Amino acid sequence: MARPLVTALIAGAGRAQRMGKVNKIMADLGGMPVIERTVRALAQTGRIRQHILLLRPEDLARVEKDILPRLREDFPGQTFTLVFGGEERMDTIKKGLGALDEDTDLVLVQDGARPFLDPSLVDRGLDRMEAGDLDGCIAAVPVTDTIKRVNDRGEIVETPDRAQLYRAQTPQIFRKEALLAAYNKPLEEGERVTDDAQMLERIGRKVAIYPGHGQNFKLTRPEDLAYGRYLLMEDADE
């Protein structure tokens, strides 16, 4: 049986306010921009036909000039496309959905600022989608800290059982028709959605988790970038 055609949407249009003045997706990480390191991990699987990089307008020229030629040379059987992102993450993904090829079967959503993605994590997610009747699956890791739910006064109202709690990561992989259906349902006033799996949850679609990896962290604050550089130095010393 032919494998499904996969398109990756790489979200890199966020304002990264918690990074201060650092443009995290273009920051140098071991001699390579963060966004390039992320895309290369996806491309190394050989299972993604199209990569759509969703970026801020001010980053497009540099990516087009410096990064895309290297990716196209190293992965000639895959396509790499640039698309302007939106103001919010959901707007950005919606723009990516509008750029999909008609024959795309599966859509993989990846944070551009998760440069320590292991290609095997992509393979496991795609295998899960090929094997089951799911509408989507996402990488996730168990919560190890005790979690407290509080009210608007900061008073603890509940301690959830952490055995049932997981931290969502990317990749998040969905059947194209399910993700399109989720994005076609408008958000209610005041409704807040923080990832694409939640978009499918809103319309009753079946999404499961599969084991993520602790080192697959997102660069959110300056110390994350510093830690990432430290990890690469450690690898180089071994």
Side-chain angles (χ1 to χ4, degrees):
M1 187 174 71
R3 279 189 153 170
L5 297 176
V6 184
T7 294
L9 303 181
I10 301 98
R15 292 294 163 186
Q17 294 176 341
R18 286 171 287 184
M19 287 292 285
K21 295 181 179 180
V22 176
N23 181 349
K24 65 181 180 182
I25 68 158
M26 300 304 295
D28 180 83
L29 189 60
M32 185 183 300
V34 165
I35 188 75
E36 182 177 354
R37 195 172 280 278
T38 301
V39 177
R40 283 182 175 275
L42 295 169
Q44 284 167 14
T45 68
R47 295 174 69 174
I48 299 170
R49 182 183 62 175
Q50 181 185 25
H51 304 259
I52 300 175
L53 284 69
L54 302 156
L55 304 172
R56 297 188 295 183
E58 57 265 36
D59 293 330
L60 258 66
R62 182 180 167 193
V63 173
E64 179 72 56
K65 178 177 179 291
D66 297 337
I67 297 177
L68 287 197
R70 293 194 292 262
L71 293 171
R72 288 168 176 157
E73 181 179 359
D74 293 345
F75 305 100
Q78 303 173 42
T79 63
F80 301 87
T81 306
L82 302 183
V83 172
F84 287 148
E87 285 298 316
E88 302 291 339
R89 181 187 172 87
M90 297 298 110
D91 302 321
T92 292
I93 300 302
K94 202 164 190 175
K95 287 193 173 188
L97 293 175
L100 294 176
D101 288 341
E102 282 191 15
D103 56 355
T104 295
D105 298 307
L106 297 176
V107 180
L108 182 155
V109 179
Q110 174 66 24
D111 293 324
R114 287 188 192 268
F116 291 97
L117 170 68
D118 191 297
S120 66
L121 200 56
V122 179
D123 282 325
R124 289 204 297 271
L126 291 173
D127 290 345
R128 183 80 195 272
M129 290 301 296
E130 290 181 22
D133 61 347
L134 298 170
D135 293 305
C137 69
I138 71 171
V141 293
V143 167
T144 55
D145 295 327
T146 297
I147 303 298
K148 302 292 184 182
R149 191 170 69 84
V150 301
N151 59 23
D152 55 8
R153 297 184 299 277
E155 299 165 347
I156 296 172
V157 296
E158 182 186 10
T159 302
D161 179 4
R162 68 182 179 191
Q164 295 181 322
L165 297 177
Y166 287 77
R167 289 191 290 114
Q169 299 182 334
T170 61
Q172 300 195 356
I173 307 170
F174 309 99
R175 302 202 185 282
K176 182 179 75 172
E177 60 83 18
L179 192 56
L180 288 172
Y183 271 87
N184 283 335
K185 181 182 179 183
L187 295 179
E188 301 290 338
E189 185 175 352
E191 187 177 8
R192 186 167 180 265
V193 174
T194 56
D195 76 351
D196 298 284
Q198 190 179 357
M199 292 293 286
L200 269 71
E201 294 167 38
R202 297 169 62 245
I203 62 170
R205 294 301 187 104
K206 187 189 297 185
V207 182
I209 64 170
Y210 69 95
H213 194 284
Q215 209 170 85
N216 181 32
F217 61 93
K218 186 177 180 180
L219 303 181
T220 303
R221 297 176 174 83
E223 55 264 34
D224 297 328
L225 188 57
Y227 178 58
R229 288 169 176 158
Y230 168 75
L231 290 176
L232 292 177
M233 288 174 57
E234 272 206 328
D235 288 344
D237 290 340
E238 289 180 0

